[in-house]
Each structure stands twice: as structure tokens, then as C-alpha cells.
Amino acid sequence: MSKLTMANIVIPRYADLGKAAAEDDDDYFSDCFVDTGIIDRILANNSSTSVLVGRTGSGKSAIIRRIKETHDNVCELHPDNLSLAYLADSWLLKFLTDQNFDLSLFYQQLWRHVLVVELLRFYEKLDSANKSKTFLAKLNNLFKDNSGKQKAMEYLTKYGGDFWSDTDERIRHITEEFQKQVETEAGAAFKGVETKYRRGETIGRHEAKELVSKAQKITSSVQMQELAKIIDILDEDIFTDRMKRVILVIDDLDQQWADDRIRIKLIEALINAIPKFRKIKNVKIIVGMRDDLLGIVLGQASTSGFQRDKFQDYHQRLSWKQSELKDIINRRIEKLFTRKYTGSSVCVDDIFEAPNIAQDNFLYMCDRTMLRPRDILSYFNMIFDRFGGRTKITLKDIRSVELDYSKGRRHALVDEWRDAFPCIDDLIGFLGHKKLSATFRLGAVSDDAVDETATKLYAANESSDLPIALFAKAHFEDHDQNSRNNFLYKMISILYRIGAVGLRTQENSRTQFSFISSSFISIDEIGPNTWCLVHPMLWQTLGRRGEVKNIYSEN
């Protein structure tokens, strides 16, 4: 990027470098998107990636938006348009859940059905009853001599023939059909259980067991085989134009699009259903998923045969280098200043006080981010908001907004991880204890610091079954060095998971952060000689000071 030749530039007043959320960033998004090559990698024909995983603000939605803007035949499925809350209102599904019945197969069937119908509706433009009727008639004629595919077409006609209708209607249809099939299988006993359940009356053990048995039979029925055959039909007979590849994207799974009682199980079922569609050579499904949500899903996974190591093969975790973050800022600064200084090229180095220390200033800011676009944009926007009208930004200026920035990052961490760790703010507060510093060895942590935090957590979560609360309770009751260490190590493993601390588990190793290295660390990997670095983004809000510089290394 060429240097500005004029003697002085002035930072526009009331300027910013764009909004934090990609979906709202219309002014900057198209011109300033930084392509790290990840889109080409995940869309490559030989790529098995289906799930795009990243922390809040790491760019998942931006990548999906970019795919929609730059590729043809992109079909988007919005979770909030599925009206999956209907599932939580079904008395039968609630009853089966109460009986610890594993509905994973049913939810997988639901997702396969939804994805098949959405793909067909998009690809064949089935937006009316007449078009749907003509399409199904054509397929029935094509498969008139193929009994296996004919059977699959019967299923498609029965459960997906109304392609033009809203997705939530189809979900309601298949859920009601499941209930009818269970009722038919169970006979008169079905109504008896339903009546008792709706009235809140006690259901006999034998009655409950019988109904669960019937539901199991229906769930494991031939319908799953028919759905598998339909996927074969999509590959062999419909999506045959290799020049017309369809990309189906799903984002916003972290929103409240369904009752929490079933949302996690539905996401698990989606993860398990997607690999079945890989055999369709002309279809690519991409799901954007927040890192903390994925952790909850994997932690609660119950589907028989679900293997985390296999999941590693088809998810891609987003990460950024400092140079890539600088590219993002440079593009946005150039666009901002071009509006005022037409024809002049301005970069981040031009707005800092001196060229020889500009890089140091930028690295200082990067050290206070988790290497996410949203973090660095937030920091720069705070600086621009306060110092609009100035010609240069100094390190003193950068530091002057750091307290507000640090408070914002702490609030953002709490918001991001509250669902997974409801007591997360108290755990972050531990890092601000007066007997701790910015860098500390676990074996040297004051007993008082650990005991005070454990007592606080226990008092606030006495009846909770959260793992960290149980560790706090165990220490409150035993109050010995072993229980103290167990609580401390568990707490540190969580703080590492959310990115609040970096860890050095071996004397000569580098400090590792969860958003760069392994996302998880077990308490078995932590010991008295483990060194912790409180993330510099939290130093100001926690009253910490440190001398650590350039905590990230570029490969």
C-alpha cells in the first residue's frame, strides 16, 4: 500500500471503521473483505468441511455472507424460520424426553427431510402446487421400473409434496405424522397415556414402557432407509448438472430459534445428518457454528456411534494472524480516508505518531485482542471516536481508551460464555484477586484467593449441578489441599477455554491460547508448575499490569 504524500492527514470526526456484525456492515463489507483463502478451501470439491466453527466476532457470518454474494446457486436456511418451537409443544415428544428416550434418530430424520425438500425446492424452483405436481409426476415416470426408488418417491410425495409451503408447515406435518404412527402402533393405550400426561397424573411404569417401545419401533422404521434412497436419487437423477453446483448455508444456530430443551439435541442431529449429503457431488452444505455452542453440543452428545474424532474431519476452525487483521484495518482506513482525500492511499501506519513505531503500536493493540476482527475493529473505533479531528494517534492515546475497551471485552466474554458457564463472571473475577498478578504459577497461588472464590461460587450455586459448582462444593466440604487444587485446576481449565488466560504447561514451551491452539485442556494436564498469563485485554478491568509483549507469534 503506497504512502500518503501530503504533509498531514486529519482523522474524520465521528468516523468509524464499520460495524462489528458482518450482516450490518453494508458500508465496508464488500470492499474491505479479506479473503484468507478459507472460502476456496471449504468449497473445494475434495473438501469434507461442513461446519465452520469460530468464536463470536471471528468472521463466520462474514464468510457466509461473502459466499452468498460471490457464488451462484446459494440456498440459505434460516433456523428461526423453521418454527421448531412446535416440537417443544408436542406432548408426545415431551413425554418421551421425560422418559429419557433418545430422539436423536427422529431429529436426524427431521433434518434430512428438511434439507432434502429445501434443496429440491431451490434447485427445481418448486414454488407452486402445479410445479410440484409436475415434478413428482416426472420422477414417478422416470422410476416406474425401479421399485426401490418408487418406494422412496412414495415417501417424498407423502411428506414433501407440498414444496411450495413454508418449512415450518412441513416440520409440523412430519411431527404430527410421527405421532399418528405411534398412536396407531400403540392402539387404545395411547389415548390413556396422553390424557394422564396432559392432566399431570401419574403414568404407570408398564404404560410408559409400552409407549416408549412403540415409539422406538417407529423411529427405527423403514423411513430412514427411504430418506437414504432419496439422497441417492438427488445425486444420480436430479443434481446432475456439474456446472450448477448448489451451496446450502445455515447460520445463526446460536440464536433462540427453538426451546433450549431441544435446541442442543437438534444441533447434534444436524451435525450427524449432514455427512449423509456428501454423496451428492453437486451439493455443498455449510453450517456456521459458534465455538461455545459446539462445546455444549459435543459435551452433551448422546447419539449412538457419535465419534468426536470423526467430527474433526469435517469442521474448520477459524483463526487469524496479526498480518491479516492489519490487512482488514488497512482496507477500512483506506476506504474511510478516500472519502475525504480523494485519490490518496492511507494505511494504519500513516495515522500513528511515527513510522518507526507504528508496527509496535499495532502489535500492542493486537496483544489486547483474541485475534478476532471484531476485537481489533472495536479498539480502533473507540480510538477514532475519541480522537476524531487529530492528525496522529500516539501510544498514550491508545492506552487512554484501553480501560473502556477492556471493560467491553470482559462484558463480551461473559455474554459469549454465559450459557455454557453461568458463573463465568465470578471466575474472571478470580483473576483480579489482590494476591494475583498478570502472570502467575499455579503452585504459588494464595490459598485465600482460591478459598474465597470457591466459597462465593458455592454460596451462589449450592443446588447447582454445574461441574465447577460441584468442585466448589467439594472443596467447601473437604477444605484440604487436594480439593483446593482440584477446584483451582478446574477453574483454570475453564478460564483457558474462554480465552481469559493463556497457559504454559512445560518450562520451555510457549504460552498457548485456546483460540490458537487446542480449544480444551483437562485438569490432568494442569499442575503446580503450570504458568498462567492473564490475557492483556483484561488487565485494565482487573487492575493488572504486565510487561509481556507480542504474545502471539506469526508462522
Side-chain angles (χ1 to χ4, degrees):
M1 186 174 292
S2 62
K3 289 285 186 180
L4 184 68
T5 56
M6 62 178 60
N8 292 303
I9 59 174
V10 177
I11 298 171
R13 293 181 64 83
Y14 312 112
D16 64 52
L17 295 182
K19 297 185 171 56
E23 59 270 23
D24 301 324
D25 194 22
D26 293 334
D27 287 344
Y28 284 92
F29 183 81
S30 295
D31 295 333
C32 302
F33 180 84
V34 172
D35 186 357
T36 63
I38 192 169
I39 293 179
D40 287 341
R41 290 199 301 274
I42 63 179
L43 294 182
N45 290 331
N46 62 349
S47 171
S48 61
T49 299
S50 299
V51 183
L52 189 61
V53 181
R55 298 284 297 266
T56 297
S58 61
K60 300 182 306 300
S61 295
I63 289 173
I64 288 177
R65 174 175 175 174
R66 188 67 168 186
I67 290 173
K68 291 190 294 183
E69 290 182 352
T70 58
H71 290 74
D72 296 327
N73 303 315
V74 178
C75 172
E76 186 172 16
L77 183 59
H78 294 278
D80 56 355
N81 290 340
L82 300 179
S83 295
L84 289 168
Y86 175 74
L87 299 178
D89 294 331
S90 166
W91 82 266
L92 178 59
L93 297 185
K94 287 193 288 187
F95 165 77
L96 292 173
T97 300
D98 292 344
Q99 299 295 317
N100 295 318
F101 179 81
D102 188 359
L103 284 162
S104 300
L105 285 177
F106 171 73
Y107 291 148
Q108 284 187 55
Q109 178 188 4
L110 197 67
W111 275 119
R112 288 199 210 179
H113 178 88
V114 167
L115 295 175
V116 162
V117 174
E118 286 298 315
L119 287 169
L120 284 174
R121 183 169 70 164
F122 177 83
Y123 192 77
E124 297 289 342
K125 297 180 174 56
L126 304 176
D127 53 8
S128 70
N130 285 336
K131 288 183 179 180
S132 297
K133 184 178 180 180
T134 301
F135 170 71
L136 290 173
K138 180 181 74 173
L139 288 185
N140 278 315
N141 184 62
L142 180 65
F143 305 140
K144 61 183 179 181
D145 297 324
N146 188 318
S147 59
K149 291 185 176 181
Q150 273 286 354
K151 191 71 175 177
M153 284 305 303
E154 290 176 12
Y155 173 91
L156 193 58
T157 303
K158 181 177 182 179
Y159 294 103
D162 51 347
F163 293 101
W164 67 92
S165 65
D166 292 334
T167 310
D168 63 328
E169 290 184 26
R170 294 195 294 275
I171 288 176
R172 183 183 296 268
H173 182 189
I174 197 169
T175 304
E176 290 176 346
E177 185 62 30
F178 171 70
Q179 183 164 316
K180 288 178 182 177
Q181 290 179 343
V182 175
E183 181 177 5
T184 300
E185 186 70 25
F190 183 89
K191 286 296 183 184
V193 175
E194 178 182 5
T195 300
K196 288 181 180 180
Y197 189 83
R198 291 186 182 278
R199 290 177 179 175
E201 299 174 0
T202 301
I203 300 171
R205 185 176 178 181
H206 179 73
E207 289 179 290
K209 185 177 180 180
E210 280 296 309
L211 189 57
V212 167
S213 175
K214 303 302 182 186
Q216 180 67 59
K217 182 177 180 180
I218 297 300
T219 305
S220 305
S221 70
V222 71
Q223 291 176 10
M224 294 294 280
Q225 299 175 22
E226 292 167 353
L227 272 170
K229 182 60 71 174
I230 290 173
I231 292 175
D232 289 339
I233 290 174
L234 265 58
D235 179 50
E236 298 167 6
D237 304 291
I238 298 176
F239 289 85
T240 55
D241 185 351
R242 297 302 180 232
M243 301 300 292
K244 189 181 177 182
R245 191 187 193 197
V246 173
I247 304 170
L248 189 150
V249 296
I250 306 174
D251 198 11
D252 296 328
L253 288 171
D254 55 307
Q255 304 300 318
Q256 294 300 315
W257 45 272
D259 190 290
D260 278 341
R261 292 170 297 176
I262 64 170
R263 185 167 65 105
I264 299 303
K265 291 302 178 185
L266 283 166
I267 295 173
E268 178 191 343
L270 174 61
I271 291 174
N272 282 299
I274 287 176
K276 306 300 181 183
F277 287 80
R278 287 206 201 111
K279 69 187 316 179
I280 311 176
K281 304 176 188 66
N282 240 21
V283 168
K284 181 73 175 185
I285 298 177
I286 299 294
V287 176
M289 191 172 301
R290 218 168 66 182
D291 194 20
D292 59 304
L293 179 60
L294 176 61
I296 295 173
V297 172
L298 294 181
Q300 298 182 15
S302 61
T303 304
S304 176
F306 184 80
Q307 298 180 22
R308 296 190 186 189
D309 55 341
K310 287 186 177 180
F311 176 71
Q312 300 293 325
D313 295 336
Y314 57 90
H315 88 279
Q316 173 70 52
R317 194 173 298 276
L318 283 177
S319 62
W320 293 83
K321 295 181 178 180
Q322 294 172 90
S323 57
E324 293 165 343
L325 293 181
K326 192 170 187 178
D327 195 5
I328 290 174
I329 298 300
N330 276 336
R331 294 189 187 200
R332 289 169 182 257
I333 286 177
E334 181 174 25
K335 183 175 178 66
L336 173 65
F337 279 84
T338 298
R339 297 171 181 172
K340 185 171 183 179
Y341 304 107
T342 304
S344 298
S345 179
V346 183
C347 67
V348 65
D349 291 348
D350 294 316
I351 68 171
F352 286 132
E353 56 185 321
N356 62 321
I357 62 173
Q359 177 68 5
D360 290 339
N361 286 351
F362 186 78
L363 292 179
Y364 178 92
M365 296 177 70
C366 279
D367 281 349
R368 282 143 185 83
T369 74
M370 290 195 289
L371 295 182
R372 299 183 297 188
R374 186 171 298 184
D375 293 352
I376 197 71
L377 280 172
S378 175
Y379 209 158
F380 268 96
N381 281 341
M382 284 186 173
I383 293 171
F384 277 33
D385 180 64
R386 185 171 298 183
F387 298 108
R390 295 271 294 275
T391 57
K392 295 291 181 181
I393 300 299
T394 68
L395 182 58
K396 181 180 178 181
D397 298 330
I398 295 172
R399 287 175 171 166
S400 72
V401 304
E402 190 175 337
L403 177 57
D404 288 339
Y405 170 79
S406 184
K407 289 179 179 178
R409 291 307 89 200
R410 177 173 179 171
H411 291 320
L413 269 184
V414 172
D415 289 342
E416 180 179 356
W417 292 96
R418 185 184 287 112
D419 288 346
F421 309 111
C423 54
I424 194 62
D425 196 44
D426 290 331
L427 299 186
I428 295 174
F430 163 77
L431 300 175
H433 194 277
K434 61 184 178 181
K435 294 188 177 181
L436 289 180
S437 57
T439 304
F440 57 91
R441 186 176 63 86
L442 291 187
V445 172
S446 163
D447 290 351
D448 291 344
V450 180
D451 294 349
E452 288 172 20
T453 305
T455 301
K456 184 177 183 179
L457 282 180
Y458 175 64
N461 303 275
E462 187 172 356
S463 60
S464 172
D465 59 355
L466 289 170
I468 187 62
L470 296 178
F471 276 87
K473 179 181 180 181
H475 178 47
F476 186 82
E477 294 175 346
D478 298 342
H479 207 72
D480 57 24
Q481 194 58 46
N482 185 58
S483 64
R484 181 180 290 114
N485 285 342
N486 286 338
F487 173 73
L488 173 62
Y489 297 165
K490 182 63 178 179
M491 182 165 51
I492 292 299
S493 72
I494 294 174
L495 290 168
Y496 171 82
R497 173 76 178 102
I498 71 169
V501 299
L503 297 181
R504 182 159 55 88
T505 57
Q506 298 180 7
E507 185 176 351
N508 297 321
S509 62
R510 289 187 58 86
T511 300
Q512 303 294 317
F513 290 92
S514 62
F515 46 89
I516 299 175
S517 306
S518 175
S519 300
F520 301 90
I521 190 167
S522 70
I523 61 174
D524 295 332
E525 301 174 74
I526 302 172
N529 291 322
T530 298
W531 280 88
C532 298
L533 169 65
V534 178
H535 196 295
M537 70 179 177
L538 297 172
W539 284 359
Q540 288 286 323
T541 190
L542 294 172
R544 300 274 75 96
R545 289 185 178 182
E547 299 299 327
V548 179
K549 294 182 179 179
N550 196 13
I551 62 175
Y552 309 120
S553 62
E554 297 269 343
N555 295 327

